[in-house]
Amino acid sequence: MATTSLWHIEGSLNDLIKYVENPDKTVEVKDDPTDLSNLLLYVTRDDKTADKQYVTAINCLKEIALQQMIVTKKQFRKTDGYIAWHGYQSFLPGEVTPEQCHAIGVQFAKEMWGDRFQVIVTTHLDKDHLHNHFCINSVSFIDGKKYDYSRKEMQRLRETSDRICWEHDLSIIKNPSVRTPRAIYEAEKRGEPTKYNLMREAIDFAIEHSVDIKSFHQVMREQGYEVNLNRERKYWTIKRIGDKKATRMFRLGEDYAHNRIQERIDEHDRFENYHNYRSFMAEMQPKYIRPKPVNFRGSFQRTRKITGLKALYFRYCYLLGFLPKKKQHKPLSPELREAWRRIDRYSQNIRLICKQDFKTTDDVKQFIETNTEQIKTLEKERNRIRARMNRTDNPAEKEQYKSQRDDITTVLTAIRKDNKTAKHIIEDSPKIKENITKEERAMQQRFIVQQRNHRRRNYEWENMR
């Protein structure tokens, strides 16, 4: 089983050209190469490649590979930007011999880049797992075009590696994982509700409240998710209602693959699951709430209606379950359940909206412009005070200037914080409107489905009589 990856190397060729033109110059070898010369020295180190026994050059000579790569760059006048690509191909411990590992790496490099690019292939033997390194010149020696590592090329890289491994009777990764975005990864580490965490929680809950796939589908839909459970499909998928792109369930973890979900449903006690299912579906039925009589003082004609940004944020906090404080409820749509992890940010936004009485985003933009001008004025004043403080030798005057400087810094900090919050209001308002629409659509969809089920049950009851 081989894992593959590829990443770009940035840097300047000035140091590399000096290195090539001055043969007496020594270059420090780093384990984290940042330019082309260090990269070549790293991947061809004697202690890693058995005295360069497992080093192969493609479309260049390994003794002068660096010079030839630089000549190619100079020839097509592309000596900036990405200067090279560094990749690896790693195997399980004991899966391949050094000779076989290197032969696979050379075959892989020739098929991937051998028709247009200069490549150095090395096999490192210093770890328990044998692995190949690839140093690819970013500029083609054929047409001078730079290597484009697109999504299509990434897919070709994986498919080529898997096919070559299959030809050599090696195992392959059946379900390659997809790299999670950094922000979501960090949020999941902190235990915050994210898109994927909420999907896992919804699936776990549905499994505990289902007796078969049909009831699993119903419970998932009640939680705001659409699942495609067609047995003829290779993968089952899940997506939030209204989303265009679906996620394959196996990417959420091994316990969320379609065969594992079926096994987990069968492992549970069917009687207990049926009881959980009936209780959950009963909770989801629309309930008639008798209004309580309330006495008001004053007149509705003289009551002011909340509008603008204040109304938008109050409505959003209500749908999130943040308001009212005494009686919270869980939002229906997964989008709002995920948005709960930003409740502190929304709370700061609404405080500033109420404090400054913003009506529209134009008011917010005007507030930011005014604050920006004030910041410039205060910074100039603080610079003048600092200059006076540096010129004086009187301790009393110096302390007075320090106090004035600190006072201005405190004011600047507060203004910059308000500016940052105001920018968040402008950024968040379109997303808030979109989430409110999705939540209201989910509420409407749930009511429609429940009415349809109610009519169906009444029809069946009438036919049975």
Side-chain angles (χ1 to χ4, degrees):
M1 178 179 65
T3 58
T4 55
S5 183
L6 195 67
W7 60 95
H8 61 262
I9 303 296
E10 291 185 82
S12 172
L13 280 178
N14 291 334
D15 295 336
L16 307 183
I17 295 170
K18 291 179 182 178
Y19 169 75
V20 173
E21 293 177 348
N22 184 5
D24 297 329
K25 183 177 177 62
T26 59
V27 179
E28 181 184 2
V29 178
K30 301 177 181 179
D31 285 343
D32 184 16
T34 55
D35 60 25
L36 189 52
S37 61
N38 284 341
L39 175 57
L40 288 174
L41 290 173
Y42 171 75
V43 299
T44 59
R45 280 169 56 176
D46 293 345
D47 59 330
K48 293 177 177 287
T49 60
D51 296 329
K52 294 186 174 60
Q53 182 179 352
Y54 299 107
V55 178
T56 299
I58 301 174
N59 298 320
C60 58
L61 298 175
K62 63 181 180 181
E63 293 80 7
I64 55 171
L66 175 62
Q67 294 90 325
Q68 289 181 314
M69 289 184 181
I70 292 178
V71 167
T72 300
K73 292 177 180 296
K74 285 184 174 182
Q75 178 184 355
F76 294 100
R77 298 179 181 178
K78 292 185 178 180
T79 58
D80 55 352
Y82 298 163
I83 63 172
W85 288 84
H86 184 189
Y88 76 87
Q89 183 184 41
S90 180
F91 299 88
L92 292 176
E95 190 176 27
V96 291
T97 63
E99 294 79 7
Q100 188 179 14
C101 179
H102 190 68
I104 292 173
V106 173
Q107 181 183 352
F108 173 70
K110 286 182 177 179
E111 292 194 24
M112 282 297 302
W113 310 289
D115 57 338
R116 296 179 58 229
F117 295 93
Q118 296 157 320
V119 188
I120 294 292
V121 183
T122 65
T123 300
H124 285 190
L125 315 175
D126 58 327
K127 305 291 185 182
D128 292 335
H129 60 282
L130 301 183
H131 55 283
N132 296 316
H133 281 267
F134 309 100
C135 175
I136 306 108
N137 191 0
S138 60
V139 180
S140 170
F141 68 93
I142 297 294
D143 52 19
K145 293 183 179 179
K146 282 204 167 185
Y147 180 62
D148 181 19
Y149 189 49
S150 60
R151 288 181 178 269
K152 184 177 180 181
E153 187 70 3
M154 183 188 303
Q155 184 65 25
R156 188 172 78 93
L157 180 126
R158 292 173 179 169
E159 291 176 353
T160 303
S161 177
D162 288 346
R163 178 178 53 77
I164 294 174
C165 288
W166 181 79
E167 291 174 356
H168 288 78
D169 295 327
L170 301 178
S171 59
I172 61 174
I173 301 175
K174 294 183 178 179
N175 298 325
S177 60
V178 178
R179 182 176 295 179
T180 304
R182 186 70 181 179
I184 295 180
Y185 172 75
E186 293 293 341
E188 288 186 352
K189 282 180 62 177
R190 295 191 296 268
E192 298 177 0
T194 65
K195 173 182 176 180
Y196 304 113
N197 272 347
L198 292 171
M199 284 181 178
R200 295 185 188 100
E201 290 177 6
I203 294 174
D204 293 338
F205 181 86
I207 289 173
E208 294 176 358
H209 292 73
S210 305
V211 292
D212 52 21
I213 293 299
K214 182 179 179 181
S215 56
F216 175 82
H217 188 282
Q218 291 175 339
V219 176
M220 289 298 297
R221 186 164 187 83
E222 289 295 335
Q223 296 183 91
Y225 291 97
E226 290 181 357
V227 290
N228 191 329
L229 308 178
N230 188 346
R231 296 184 183 275
E232 296 181 357
R233 292 175 61 93
K234 186 176 181 180
Y235 304 109
W236 286 1
T237 60
I238 178 175
K239 68 175 182 177
R240 298 180 294 200
I241 293 177
D243 280 1
K244 295 181 180 180
K245 188 175 181 180
T247 301
R248 292 175 177 176
M249 286 188 183
F250 77 85
R251 298 196 186 282
L252 302 176
E254 294 181 359
D255 283 341
Y256 303 95
H258 66 281
N259 54 345
R260 183 61 185 138
I261 289 175
Q262 184 67 64
E263 291 174 1
R264 291 173 65 187
I265 293 175
D266 295 338
E267 288 170 0
H268 284 78
D269 183 83
R270 297 181 69 85
F271 180 78
E272 182 181 352
N273 275 24
Y274 181 74
H275 176 73
N276 294 340
Y277 170 73
R278 297 290 295 178
S279 301
F280 173 73
M281 297 303 288
E283 290 178 2
M284 295 298 104
Q285 293 294 328
K287 300 177 179 62
Y288 175 74
I289 301 175
R290 185 182 297 277
K292 296 180 180 179
V294 180
N295 295 326
F296 290 97
R297 293 181 180 181
S299 171
F300 279 109
Q301 284 76 15
R302 294 196 298 270
T303 302
R304 289 192 305 170
K305 183 179 179 181
I306 299 177
T307 58
L309 287 173
K310 192 182 295 185
L312 176 69
Y313 271 84
F314 274 123
R315 173 65 173 166
Y316 195 54
C317 289
Y318 169 75
L319 293 176
L320 280 172
F322 186 70
L323 295 175
K325 293 286 188 181
K326 294 183 179 179
K327 189 178 180 181
Q328 295 185 358
H329 64 276
K330 291 184 66 176
L332 300 180
S333 65
E335 287 84 2
L336 258 67
R337 293 201 291 271
E338 183 182 356
W340 179 262
R341 65 189 177 99
R342 304 184 190 91
I343 192 64
D344 292 337
R345 173 165 164 166
Y346 298 143
S347 179
Q348 293 176 0
N349 292 356
I350 198 169
R351 285 194 181 97
L352 184 63
I353 289 172
C354 295
K355 179 182 177 181
Q356 301 295 332
D357 196 22
F358 293 140
K359 302 295 183 184
T360 63
T361 53
D362 292 335
D363 297 339
V364 182
K365 292 176 182 178
Q366 183 62 40
F367 174 79
I368 293 174
E369 292 177 3
T370 303
N371 275 1
T372 303
E373 293 298 326
Q374 189 176 358
I375 288 172
K376 291 179 180 178
T377 303
L378 290 173
E379 285 179 342
K380 290 180 180 178
E381 179 64 24
R382 187 173 62 176
N383 290 337
R384 283 195 290 267
I385 291 173
R386 282 175 175 168
R388 293 171 186 171
M389 183 177 65
N390 293 333
R391 285 196 299 266
T392 184
D393 295 329
N394 190 331
E397 291 182 356
K398 191 177 286 289
E399 287 298 324
Q400 183 180 0
Y401 289 139
K402 282 184 179 180
S403 176
Q404 293 177 3
R405 181 201 61 187
D406 293 343
D407 291 342
I408 293 177
T409 301
T410 303
V411 174
L412 278 172
T413 301
I415 295 175
R416 288 194 177 109
K417 185 177 179 180
D418 287 347
N419 253 16
K420 184 178 180 180
T421 304
K423 291 176 182 178
H424 288 168
I425 293 172
I426 296 175
E427 294 173 5
D428 296 343
S429 294
K431 185 64 177 179
I432 287 175
K433 293 178 182 178
E434 181 183 346
N435 284 352
I436 289 175
T437 302
K438 289 183 178 180
E439 178 71 9
E440 292 175 344
R441 189 185 300 124
M443 296 167 64
Q444 183 181 11
Q445 184 69 20
R446 172 173 290 180
F447 186 74
I448 291 173
V449 171
Q450 289 167 347
Q451 277 190 327
R452 188 186 303 126
N453 293 338
H454 182 69
R455 287 196 298 268
R456 179 177 54 79
R457 285 192 294 268
N458 287 343
Y459 176 76
E460 292 174 353
W461 174 254
E462 291 293 335
N463 289 341
M464 292 174 60
R465 294 175 60 181

